Amino acid sequence: MKLELSELLKEAKADAPPPRYGVDDAVAAGRKLKARRRTLWSVGGGAALAVAVAGVVVLPQVVARQDAPATPSAAAAAAPSEAKPKAVPLTYPESRWEYAFHGYKTGKYQVNEPFLVTAGFQQATIRIGDEVEEVYGELKRPLEEGEQPKKEDYKIAYSAPGSSLLLTVYRPGAFDPALFADGTKVSVGGKSGLFKKNAHLDGDPTRKDEGHPGLAWKYAGNAWAVINTSKPNETSSKDLVAIAQGLSGAEAYPATVATKLNFVPAGYELVSGGRGADWPNGTGEFQRTNLRLVKGAEEKATGLKTPVLDDENSKVQDIRINLYRTDFSENRPPQGADQLAPYCNSGNTKLCYRMAPGGKWQVEIEGSGQEPTSELKKILAGITFASIEDGATWFPIESATP
C-alpha cells in the first residue's frame, strides 16, 4: 500500500506510543519533509523500526538493542584500529576534509572513528556497551488475516553495532553554546564545560521528552566539542565527562569515501561527506559513504547551535549520494535490465539507484526536487567504486568529485 510521506508521518505520530527513537528525532533533526525519503520510528521500546522510502512502507526494518554481538565485518569499519596513533593535543585541521582525532574507549563507551566532515564540524558515533542494530527481512511465517506483525515474526537479515551518543567536534568559532546556557557547570580535564539533562539534538526548545543528556565543553580557546544523544538514553553527567576527557587529537588525516564521482552538474559543490550522512538517520553500519552536493551558497558554518545543517525548513538545493547495504532497502533493478545500470524509484523519479559490483551494496541518489532525473542518472552511471569492504582502497574525499 502506498502512502504519501506526510500522511505516513502523521499516522506514525498519532498511533505509536512514546518512541524510543522517533519521528521527531529522525525528521526534526535534519530531514526535509518534502524531499527526504527514509524516516525511522519505533512502535515502543525496543520494537522494530519502520522504513519509509519515497512514501512506500517497505521491509527490511531496523531495530536497536543491547543484548547480542555484532558481526565482525561491520564492527571493523567503525571501531578504532588496533594500532594506536600517538595522541597529541586536539587541534582542528585547517583543511575541511581532514579528521582531527581517532576513536577510543572509555569504560563501556566506544567512541568510533570519525565518520563525517563538514565546513564547521566533524563527528563520531559512540556505542554504549553491546548496542546492536538489526535489519529484519522476510516473515518467518504467514500471518493470519488481520494480524499485525511483531518484530519476532521477522527473520534477522543483518546486524551491526549500534550507537546512542554522538560526538561533534566543532571548528574554532563555529559553535554557539546558547542551548547549554542554563546547563550545570562542570570541569572537563580542567576545561570549562556545561551539562544539560535534556539537550535535544535538533535544538527544539518546545520538546519535553526525556532521555537526551548533553555535554558541551571547550577543548581549546573558542573551540567546542559536544556530546548529544542520537537515541534516548540515561548517560550520566559523570560518564559524559569521562568520555570527554578521553578525547585527544591526532595528526590530521584525510576523510575517505568508497565512491568517486566523475560527473557533477554545473554549479554544484561538495560540502560534506564521509562514511555516514549529516543527519542522525539511524543507519549506522548499514551505510558506507555519503556525499552531499549543494548548488550556490552552502549553509553558514558559524553560530551553529546544533550539528544540524540541512533542517526541515532548509531551502538549499542539494544532491545526496549514499552507499547502503542492499539488505537495508528493497529497491532493485527492473527484471531483465542491466543490473549495474542506474534506475529510479517507481514513485519518485528524483530518487534513483545503482547496484555496486557484487550486489552487496547499493548507491542511492536523491535531488531536492529541481534536478533533472537524467542528471541524477548520469551521476550514478559515472561513479567509480573502491573496494567497499577494504577502507585502505577508499578515495580521499577531497578527490571524490571532478
Side-chain angles (χ1 to χ4, degrees):
M1 177 178 67
K2 292 187 176 181
L3 296 171
E4 291 297 326
L5 181 56
S6 58
E7 293 303 313
L8 187 65
L9 298 181
K10 288 178 184 176
E11 288 190 14
K13 281 189 170 181
D15 299 340
R20 179 172 181 228
Y21 177 48
V23 172
D24 289 332
D25 287 293
V27 176
R31 315 302 299 278
K32 291 181 181 177
L33 292 176
K34 65 179 181 179
R36 297 295 172 244
R37 74 286 177 201
R38 195 183 306 274
T39 304
L40 307 179
W41 73 90
S42 73
V43 292
L49 296 173
V51 181
V53 180
V56 184
V57 181
V58 301
L59 293 176
Q61 300 177 319
V62 180
V63 62
R65 63 189 182 90
Q66 295 190 0
D67 57 357
T71 55
S73 59
S81 61
E82 291 298 325
K84 294 184 178 180
K86 180 181 178 181
V88 299
L90 181 57
T91 304
Y92 207 95
E94 291 186 13
S95 169
R96 66 183 290 172
W97 304 120
E98 292 182 325
Y99 291 130
F101 64 96
H102 283 288
Y104 59 96
K105 190 168 186 177
T106 299
K108 66 179 180 179
Y109 301 97
Q110 176 65 67
V111 179
N112 294 314
E113 292 293 316
F115 70 89
L116 173 73
V117 283
T118 74
F121 59 83
Q122 49 193 262
Q123 292 180 314
T125 57
I126 304 175
R127 185 185 189 195
I128 304 176
D130 293 328
E131 279 187 283
V132 172
E133 290 177 351
E134 294 172 336
V135 166
Y136 285 77
E138 299 176 354
L139 285 165
K140 296 176 182 177
R141 59 176 179 81
L143 297 177
E144 301 292 334
E145 184 176 354
E147 181 184 5
Q148 295 297 317
K150 304 179 181 66
K151 68 172 184 177
E152 54 266 26
D153 293 326
Y154 292 100
K155 298 177 181 177
I156 297 174
Y158 179 72
S159 64
S163 58
S164 289
L165 296 171
L166 183 68
L167 168 64
T168 305
V169 177
Y170 287 90
R171 183 180 293 279
F175 182 66
D176 177 357
L179 294 176
F180 287 85
D182 58 347
T184 302
K185 292 183 179 181
V186 295
S187 175
V188 179
K191 297 176 181 177
S192 59
L194 295 165
F195 169 79
K196 195 169 181 180
K197 183 179 178 181
N198 285 293
H200 298 98
L201 187 62
D202 59 8
D204 183 353
T206 67
R207 290 180 61 178
K208 303 299 182 183
D209 49 312
E210 299 287 323
H212 297 273
L215 174 69
W217 75 99
K218 287 186 176 182
Y219 65 85
N222 66 339
W224 290 77
V226 176
I227 299 174
N228 289 104
T229 56
S230 54
K231 301 185 187 79
N233 63 85
E234 301 299 329
T235 306
S236 67
S237 170
K238 180 180 178 181
D239 282 2
L240 288 179
V241 168
I243 298 169
Q245 289 181 159
L247 177 64
S248 62
E251 297 293 338
Y253 61 102
T256 59
V257 290
T259 57
K260 185 175 183 179
L261 308 184
N262 293 300
F263 167 73
V264 170
Y268 284 85
E269 297 289 340
L270 178 67
V271 299
S272 67
R275 195 172 50 82
D278 58 358
W279 67 79
N281 60 357
T283 58
E285 289 305 309
F286 307 113
Q287 185 172 15
R288 279 296 180 274
T289 284
N290 167 264
L291 296 169
R292 180 172 178 240
L293 311 173
V294 166
K295 187 173 185 178
E298 64 178 295
E299 298 92 341
K300 291 182 179 180
T302 57
L304 299 174
K305 296 180 176 65
T306 72
V308 177
L309 294 179
D310 184 26
D311 65 35
E312 59 188 278
N313 297 314
S314 172
K315 301 295 190 296
V316 172
Q317 186 172 340
D318 65 359
I319 296 173
R320 291 179 181 272
I321 300 98
N322 296 292
L323 179 65
Y324 293 106
R325 283 183 60 98
T326 53
D327 44 19
F328 192 68
S329 168
E330 282 195 337
N331 290 282
R332 298 291 182 270
Q335 288 188 353
D338 181 350
Q339 296 298 289
L340 296 181
Y343 59 100
C344 296
N345 186 287
S346 59
N348 181 0
T349 58
K350 304 302 181 185
L351 179 59
C352 302
Y353 313 91
R354 178 188 167 189
M355 300 294 288
K360 186 178 177 181
W361 298 90
Q362 179 185 52
V363 180
E364 173 190 272
I365 187 170
E366 182 192 19
S368 55
Q370 303 177 56
E371 301 78 13
T373 300
S374 58
E375 287 198 339
L376 299 180
K377 294 176 78 172
K378 187 175 180 180
I379 294 172
L380 287 174
I383 287 178
T384 299
F385 293 93
S387 178
I388 298 170
E389 304 287 355
D390 182 4
T393 70
W394 290 16
F395 310 103
I397 193 171
E398 199 168 12
S399 64
T401 57

